Amino acid sequence: MKSLYMVSGSLAETQSLGEKIGRNLCLKIVIGLSGELGSGKTSFVQGLAKGLDIPDKYYVTSPTYSLIHEYPGRIPLFHIDLYRIRLRDEIEGTGLYEILDRFGIFAIEWPDFVINDLNVDSLSIHFEIIDDDKRKITITAHGERAAELIKKL
Ligand SMILES: Nc1ncnc2c1ncn2[C@@H]1O[C@H](COP(=O)(O)OP(=O)(O)OP(=O)(O)O)[C@@H](O)[C@H]1O
Ligand SMILES: [Mg+2]
């Protein structure tokens, strides 16, 4: 397990971090995004989409109600938000497990119910609000390929 942290000073900086990671992705990976409301999880995914060459006409917004948004890019991006899931059992029947078997990049907000069940490399990214514009972002890599990825940051 390899870990690093950085401080983002603005929304744009958090988006750039996402973009940089997105540019380097070529294999299936899960990115678990944790941290309080408004800490920058969705903003990060907006950058990730850019790095995966998803056309600008797809504006990335929180899938809080729809659970899953899929975007076509160099690699498909699945943006998943489990905020409204209260019990693990509620995930059955949503189609999420079937989607997780596909090839793609899986960016998951509030990932606690699924993150340990997945058999692929992952990055855990935790966002902490320092003040209005500053966020402490801690990235932990699980698996060799994920570790390679954060060496490039
Ligand atoms: N350094 C920063 N990085 C990211 N967002 C920032 C930063 N500074 C200020 N912000 C603001 O914080 C908010 C982050 O919102 P965002 O939707 O990305 O959070 P979230 O973690 O996805 O929240 P939720 O849990 O509600 O889905 C935006 O309004 C953004 O403009
Ligand atoms: Mg969000």
Side-chain angles (χ1 to χ4, degrees):
M1 205 156 81
K2 259 189 129 41
S3 211
L4 62 84
Y5 84 88
M6 59 194 72
V7 173
S8 159
S10 67
L11 166 65
E13 223 178 292
T14 298
Q15 290 170 330
S16 301
L17 172 68
E19 184 177 351
K20 192 167 181 192
I21 291 176
R23 291 244 169 272
N24 283 297
L25 294 175
C26 49
L27 297 164
K28 179 170 180 170
I29 196 167
V30 169
I31 303 177
L33 303 163
S34 62
E36 61 191 291
L37 294 171
S39 58
K41 303 180 293 296
T42 298
S43 307
F44 172 88
V45 179
Q46 290 166 350
L48 194 64
K50 199 163 180 211
L52 289 166
D53 299 327
I54 288 160
D56 285 344
K57 67 173 180 185
Y58 297 99
Y59 184 68
V60 173
T61 55
S62 238
T64 307
Y65 293 94
S66 46
L67 213 68
I68 302 162
H69 286 165
E70 179 178 354
Y71 301 98
R74 197 160 46 70
I75 306 174
L77 170 66
F78 297 92
H79 184 195
I80 296 155
D81 187 342
L82 302 181
Y83 180 69
R84 291 168 61 82
I85 300 286
R86 289 283 164 254
L87 299 164
R88 184 187 293 264
D89 287 352
E90 290 172 30
I91 296 175
E92 299 284 347
T94 61
L96 178 61
Y97 290 125
E98 290 75 10
I99 281 176
L100 288 166
D101 280 338
R102 288 170 57 186
F103 174 70
I105 304 302
F106 299 86
I108 312 181
E109 299 189 36
W110 306 94
D112 299 10
F113 284 131
V114 295
I115 198 81
N116 293 319
D117 299 345
L118 304 171
N119 248 331
V120 284
D121 277 22
S122 64
L123 293 177
S124 301
I125 307 187
H126 184 66
F127 297 79
E128 286 167 72
I129 299 179
I130 300 174
D131 64 23
D132 278 0
D133 295 320
K134 283 203 184 75
R135 304 290 187 265
K136 181 179 174 187
I137 303 177
T138 308
I139 307 179
T140 307
H142 309 271
E144 237 168 80
R145 289 165 177 175
E148 283 302 316
L149 203 63
I150 67 169
K151 274 193 202 153
K152 293 179 186 154
L153 297 177

